[in-house]
Amino acid sequence: MFDIGFSELMVIAVVALIVIGPERLPKVARTVGLLFGRMQRYVNDVKADISREMALDDLRKLQANIQDTANSLEQSMKQEVGAVESDLNKIAGDAKAAAAPAASPEETAAALAAAEALPPADPAAIAGEVKKA
């Protein structure tokens, strides 16, 4: 902090001894030492507070950055889910439109009767056709 060497300290001590006197010098030196210690503690406390505030500020910036990223991800996921959902709804609508309407019970009974009226197929004839192919 201060660039004071041993020789400068000795000059200060001699001047203090002459100005203050030998009776009061120990008491003044003790008081100066206590004040110097308090000053050092105060400076260290201020440094620690500044460091904590800087770390807290960095954490707040990091939290805001992560929150922005999470919000962006949430929006993109909602858009993708909406797009997939609309595609699926479109496909389901197309499938319903393409599906033939179900036959009524009367139509089903008529088709079964027509199928039963056909002559039975000859298994040998079917086997011969398979061998020719």
Side-chain angles (χ1 to χ4, degrees):
M1 188 162 111
F2 295 110
D3 194 22
I4 298 176
F6 185 72
S7 60
E8 287 95 3
L9 285 176
M10 292 310 282
V11 170
I12 292 171
V14 168
V15 170
L17 181 62
I18 293 171
V19 172
I20 296 173
E23 293 113 21
R24 290 186 351 186
L25 185 61
K27 185 176 180 181
V28 171
R30 191 175 313 122
T31 305
V32 169
L34 289 173
L35 292 175
F36 187 73
R38 285 182 189 169
M39 183 187 68
Q40 281 183 331
R41 282 191 297 276
Y42 177 73
V43 168
N44 287 336
D45 287 344
V46 169
K47 284 181 183 178
D49 288 344
I50 290 172
S51 296
R52 267 187 254 129
E53 287 296 324
M54 288 174 51
L56 186 60
D57 188 44
D58 290 343
L59 288 175
R60 285 182 182 145
K61 287 179 183 177
L62 180 63
Q63 180 186 12
N65 188 11
I66 289 173
Q67 188 67 35
D68 290 342
T69 304
N71 289 339
S72 173
L73 180 63
E74 182 182 9
Q75 287 177 349
S76 67
M77 290 297 290
K78 284 182 180 179
Q79 288 175 352
E80 290 298 321
V81 167
V84 169
E85 192 174 80
S86 66
D87 289 345
L88 288 176
N89 288 337
K90 181 181 176 186
I91 291 170
D94 292 346
K96 284 182 181 177
S104 66
E106 294 84 20
E107 292 173 348
T108 305
L112 283 175
E116 289 175 357
L118 293 174
D122 182 22
I126 294 174
E129 288 178 16
V130 173
K131 287 182 183 176
K132 288 181 186 177

